Amino acid sequence: MKNQKFKKGDLVRVAKDLGSSMSHFTSDCDAIVIGSYNDQYGGGDTDSYTLHLKVGGRCSWYYESQLTLIEANRLDLLDQWKTERKEEEDLKSFLDWIFENGESVLKGAHGASVTSLAKCFGLNNLWGNNGEGITYYSNAITTLAMAEPFLKSGDKNGWLGYCESLLSNDQGEARR
């Protein structure tokens, strides 16, 4: 078994180009190594890693060749990154912030913003019962399309009224 290049806690830079088979993965960012496949599950694979990405949380299947060591033993950054991410999610899930920043939400909505908008009309799980990405995507674009006129005009009260009418119609339909 070859020597493992990265250890748990190493601060690494993820390459900009991960190759066509991983073009959907987050690239060109900093991350903390959680461990190799071998560290986590055994089996001898020391070439693929689970990382905690600064910009997106935990993700597996990054290869050694796609990573560059910045600094060893920086596990201390994880708590800082998690705190920063939680603060951002808290801010961007706040309805007042969402409607004060409607145009930017429409250009690139944070998941916390979409989740808050969906909860207004009773959709509490954008991922659906099976946790499917396509379900999340469909629910997110539908939610944003419904909210678009209210976001453009900054009309939080109008959105809440619209959602209330949707909920009232759903309850009326369920009684029939």
Side-chain angles (χ1 to χ4, degrees):
M1 179 163 53
K2 78 175 187 114
N3 287 339
Q4 183 170 313
K5 184 173 181 180
F6 301 106
K7 307 289 185 231
K8 181 175 184 169
D10 286 351
L11 175 62
V12 295
R13 182 74 187 172
V14 177
K16 187 178 280 192
D17 182 2
L18 301 176
S20 61
S21 67
M22 291 180 65
S23 62
H24 58 293
F25 277 61
T26 302
S27 62
D28 197 24
C29 65
D30 292 342
I32 300 289
V33 173
I34 300 302
S36 69
Y37 186 93
N38 185 65
D39 292 337
Q40 297 173 91
Y41 310 106
D45 179 359
T46 59
D47 189 47
S48 60
Y49 292 87
T50 297
L51 306 175
H52 184 99
L53 307 172
K54 182 177 183 179
V55 296
R58 196 173 172 130
C59 189
S60 295
W61 306 116
Y62 285 88
Y63 294 101
E64 179 179 286
S65 62
Q66 299 167 326
L67 308 175
T68 303
L69 181 66
I70 297 173
E71 189 177 353
N73 197 24
R74 288 305 314 267
L75 208 51
D76 61 298
L77 286 176
L78 270 182
D79 287 336
Q80 177 186 335
W81 290 358
K82 288 177 181 179
T83 298
E84 289 168 359
R85 185 173 178 160
K86 173 85 170 89
E87 289 170 354
E88 180 183 26
E89 287 175 353
D90 288 349
L91 173 67
K92 292 184 176 177
S93 67
F94 188 54
L95 286 177
D96 287 342
W97 182 90
I98 293 168
F99 285 92
E100 288 168 8
N101 296 278
E103 289 290 338
S104 66
V105 169
L106 288 169
K107 288 179 184 167
H110 191 281
S113 300
V114 179
T115 297
S116 287
L117 290 168
K119 285 181 179 179
C120 292
F121 61 86
L123 178 57
N124 294 313
N125 181 2
L126 290 165
W127 292 91
N129 293 336
N130 297 319
E132 295 288 334
I134 190 67
T135 302
Y136 177 90
Y137 176 76
S138 177
N139 285 331
I141 61 171
T142 300
T143 299
L144 289 171
M146 290 167 48
E148 183 175 8
F150 303 99
L151 290 169
K152 282 184 174 180
S153 64
D155 186 4
K156 179 180 102 172
N157 290 332
W159 170 250
L160 293 173
Y162 174 72
C163 292
E164 186 61 38
S165 72
L166 291 175
L167 290 169
S168 296
N169 284 343
D170 284 346
Q171 290 171 354
E173 293 291 324
R175 287 188 210 119
R176 289 186 195 169

